[in-house]
Amino acid sequence: MQPREDLKRDLGFWGALTIGAGTMIGAGIFLLAGVALELTGPAAIFSYLIAGVICLMTAASAAELATGMPTSGGDYFFVSRSLGPALGAISGVGIWLSLTVAIAFYLVGMGDFLAQITPLSPVFGAMTGGVLLIVLNVVGAKESGRAQIVVVVTLVLILGVFVAAGVFELEPDNFTPFFPFGGSPVLSTTALVFVSFLGFVKIAAVAEEVQDPDRNLPRTLIGSVAIVTVLYVLIVLTIGGIFTQETIVGVRDPLTQAARRLFGTVGGQAIIFAGLLATLSSANASILASSRINLAMARDGMFPTWLAQISRRFVTPSRAIVLTGVLALLAIVAIPNLEELAKVASSLQLYSYAALNIGCVVLRAANPDWYRPTFRTPGYPFTQLVAAGGCISIIFFSGPFAQIAVVTLIVGSLAFYALWGRQRADIEHAIPDLRSRWARLGLSAFFTPATRFGTEAAGTEAPVEVPPIERIPGPRWPRRVVVALANPDTEVSLLRFGRQLATGADEGGEVLGIHLVRVPRQTSLDVAREQLADNRPPPAREELERTSSEVPAPLAETTIDTATGLAHDVFDGLINETEWRDADLLLMGWHGGFSAGRIYNSPIQRVIAGLRADLAVLKDRGTEQPRRILVPWGGGIHARLGIELAVRMARATNGVVEILRIVREDVDAVDEEERLRDEVTTLVGDLDQLAYRVRRSQEVSAGIRETLHDDGPFDLVVIGASRESRLRNVLFGSIPDFVADEADCSVLMVHRYVPEHWSYRLPARLKRIREWTGTTSSPEEASPQRNS
């Protein structure tokens, strides 16, 4: 089973967007908005706007670079591949230290919020929170991209409600004068609040794990900055309109105080909760991102490899995490002033943003063979030059302490590179190509369009739209099946079922058993693949190979292989593995009961939503060779898949497929059986393994239950997903769920993949219309539902 030559990715649009937005919505806006208003007056909104515009332009450059080099490493990778390893070393160390200081900044903010609701001192709360986060990141505590989405949505909702209510409490007089101290403090305040925008390039740091990167990377990079900029400006306007310029100086944590004015104690507590959530989330995301930078630099030989070694116990870069965490804790003690922490973190990152923008110009001008961006920054090269100039200008207004930090960074990084990295790093970069192009074109190299650019390369045709996945036309043809392996006790059984489902009438199919190991988000998947060898023995495959001579052809011709994969989320990983392997069916096992309480949060619905292949979920009750198979039939697309898979298994075991049709009490059973026989024969042919039965009942579920009780025992029930009300559609639908829960035999629940196209969806919609209008023979259920 040969996979396609593309990358396995597990971050969708929303997951990637919240990595950027979730990191930015942190201590910056909660703790610095009042300070900005105190230093600049209402004109502080221009500080946020300037920072936001610079970040928008930088985000566009990062999007171009990320689509041209979708590899983990972010700023460091882009700068080192565009400007060379020396400047890359400065950028990499700068980003790492910037993140380290930012972690300290976030932790100090968290300590301040904790001090408002607990007797803990701010420093003690910050140190305690830091130690806890270090431990959690080292052990790789399970986290979910969906949890990050919930955090970001919660923060945006709380802050959105605050802004919406604050609009009605604004006092226009509080905005006069708008520039109480003149325009000079605007840029120095920009240097202060710029830390509020750190984080969006972290999306590019996980570029190789983003789904559909050509589309999602630009959208998430630019979109996260745009959303946060608008939110910040509205919050600053709201606070500035609630407090007078004379009183804002004496208001500690004005965001919380303003919320108390609007909503009382509940409002203040909500902002404190949001602040704790934001600072905790931002600190954790920064620790995660810092480990990615260490890994990328160690891979290039710029950092000692021992620093980025992956712990085999926790599957995390524990040494890098501990070092970063300890430095952050030391920064809390050494620089307890919140404003200085913010300016140092901002200035260190500003250098990297400037280098990133210049690197984008250099790569576009050099046009190396390995650079194929599919997104182009508008206004090149002026957009990048303005952004880079803005970054450098803000550093000049950041104050002497932050400026000394930047100079120390540059000198120290160059010394480190000269002593360590120069002899070890061998990085292909764009400078030689730029020199060559400059020799031929001179200054016009920066303005001559690239001859190769993504899918729009000169002389190439427009990309052909890939048609929807071709459906397996029936049980005669072999299938390619991925089997999810999670429990050694059930692997043999699942692979045996997978072999039966994959085998065609005349030739064998392909089965791949996948055991996925969860890798914490702190560790990039490519580094984990390099450092974690697969030592897991495949006992299930060996046992099936030993017994393959005992089964007839073509069943014995079906190839069975097993592999261990890595994923940040196991169920997203199964979706990606299935598509990456070009499989047309995913087989999973199910353990436990099917009560609504147990399966409400089941990931099966998530798998169904993202899987571009058919799905089968086996509730195994010990049946190894199903010879009597019951298939409830409603005529829909999922039931048709059930017939096909049941025929495959019956053919492999010399069994019989009994097709059950539940009809209303007033329906002629003989005529219905003839129609049923004609429908199924048209679908799979007139096979000897098929038997037909029609049962009258007032409800579909009752008819199935009676059949299982009166006509059993059966070895296996194969049932298709049902379409019904969303309240009851908790897994495959209430009918399949109840069958899986109540049947004494094994149950295979199946779901046919239907592409998002009207030609595929129309038959199912017409069927539902007939059912709703009562023009079919199917009985009604007690609540709105249809078996399909």
Side-chain angles (χ1 to χ4, degrees), residues 65 69-82 88 91-92 95 293 296 299-300 370 427:
L65 293 166
M69 298 178 287
T71 304
S72 290
D75 311 39
Y76 158 73
F77 190 88
F78 300 150
V79 174
S80 62
R81 267 58 180 179
S82 58
S91 181
I95 297 162
I293 299 298
R299 233 181 346 180
D300 287 342
W370 44 265
I427 298 173

Side-chain angles (χ1 to χ4, degrees), residues 4 11 116 163 254 304 354 382 583 585 693 703 746 777:
R4 294 190 313 231
L11 268 178
Q116 296 185 48
V163 169
F382 304 105
L585 176 69
R693 60 172 69 239
S746 298
S777 57

